[in-house]
Amino acid sequence: MHILVTRPEPAASQTAERLRTLGHAVTVDPMLRIAPTAPTLPEGPFDAVAFTSINGVKAFALHPQGPDFFHLPAFAVGPRTSKEARAIGFANVTDCDGDASALAGRIAGALPAGAKVLNPAGEDRAADLQALLAAPGITLELAIVYAAQPADALSEEARAALASGTVTAALHLSQRTVKTLLKCVAAAGLNDRLIEVRQLCLSEQVAEPFVKAGLKVEVATAPNEDALLALL
């Protein structure tokens, strides 16, 4: 199969390598470009750190105050995020193996009411972790440590692959990349080609813009990359 990968780098190249190992041809065209920021972090003390994405971990590693938090327990939304948290210096990492709801549930089960958690994240988030933790009485302090800039056009390689009809499937891990892809495809006049591509989505939330646009989608049985690739 020829698969289009739209997630940001460096994760896009990592996914592409997995796909090539499985024997697929791959075109990588990130629909978002990640740019770390360096805001002053909220005042503590904190009881833990929560990561909702691997990009949040990578950006936090570059933040000048980041190492000050490595002694705290960290909760990560999934296995790749938890692996990256360990790699940057966190020793106590809980892999929540799911989505934001699973992350909130593990935090609520491990920390007492009144605990304070730092959430290094991006400007746009798929779920409101703060709201999910409000019921058990845990305070979440958000720190915007990276910005995701949408692409303004398809890459030449992606445009040519779609125009020729060689792309058979596309992987989608965030709603914002889906929305950006739809805009770029429309601008390139390739809507008819996109209809022919299998749209493989991490979750129903990710798939929503495709559904609204009238495209057929396939949704992973669990919100992780292994389940997404299993759709192939």
Side-chain angles (χ1 to χ4, degrees):
M1 297 179 68
H2 188 144
I3 301 169
L4 175 65
V5 176
T6 61
R7 69 188 312 189
E9 292 287 15
S13 292
Q14 294 166 354
T15 298
E17 184 58 32
R18 288 191 68 183
L19 291 167
R20 292 187 181 107
T21 300
L22 294 171
H24 301 292
V26 184
T27 294
V28 174
D29 189 9
M31 290 292 101
L32 298 174
R33 274 72 174 179
I34 302 301
T37 61
T40 300
L41 298 180
E43 291 188 8
F46 289 96
D47 300 288
V49 180
F51 291 109
T52 48
S53 73
I54 193 170
N55 289 320
V57 179
K58 290 181 177 293
F60 196 60
L62 298 174
H63 194 285
Q65 293 175 266
D68 297 341
F69 294 81
F70 288 173
H71 66 286
L72 293 176
F75 294 83
V77 69
R80 294 184 68 174
T81 305
S82 62
K83 181 180 179 180
E84 189 66 25
R86 293 186 185 95
I88 70 168
F90 283 94
N92 181 4
V93 181
T94 298
D95 177 1
C96 300
D97 195 26
D99 53 14
S101 295
L103 177 61
R106 293 294 291 274
I107 293 173
L111 300 180
K116 191 173 181 180
V117 179
L118 179 67
N119 176 212
E123 293 176 315
D124 297 281
R125 296 167 300 285
D128 189 347
L129 187 60
Q130 193 167 30
L132 292 171
L133 287 171
I138 295 173
T139 299
L140 188 83
E141 292 285 351
L142 180 65
I144 304 300
V145 295
Y146 73 89
Q149 301 298 326
D152 54 14
L154 294 172
S155 68
E156 190 58 33
E157 181 185 2
R159 188 203 62 75
L162 285 169
S164 66
T166 59
V167 175
T168 50
L171 301 184
H172 309 288
L173 289 90
S174 80
Q175 189 179 101
R176 195 175 181 202
T177 59
V178 170
K179 290 179 177 179
T180 303
L181 178 67
L182 286 170
K183 289 180 180 178
C184 291
V185 167
L190 294 172
N191 283 340
D192 58 334
R193 291 299 189 183
L194 194 64
I195 294 173
E196 301 169 1
V197 177
R198 292 175 63 194
Q199 308 301 338
L200 311 183
C201 300
L202 190 70
S203 68
E204 297 285 355
Q205 189 266 347
V206 171
E208 185 178 335
F210 283 136
V211 174
K212 288 182 177 179
L215 276 70
K216 293 182 179 180
V217 299
E218 298 172 52
V219 178
T221 57
N224 59 64
E225 186 176 79
D226 287 342
L228 184 62
L229 296 189
L231 293 174
L232 295 169

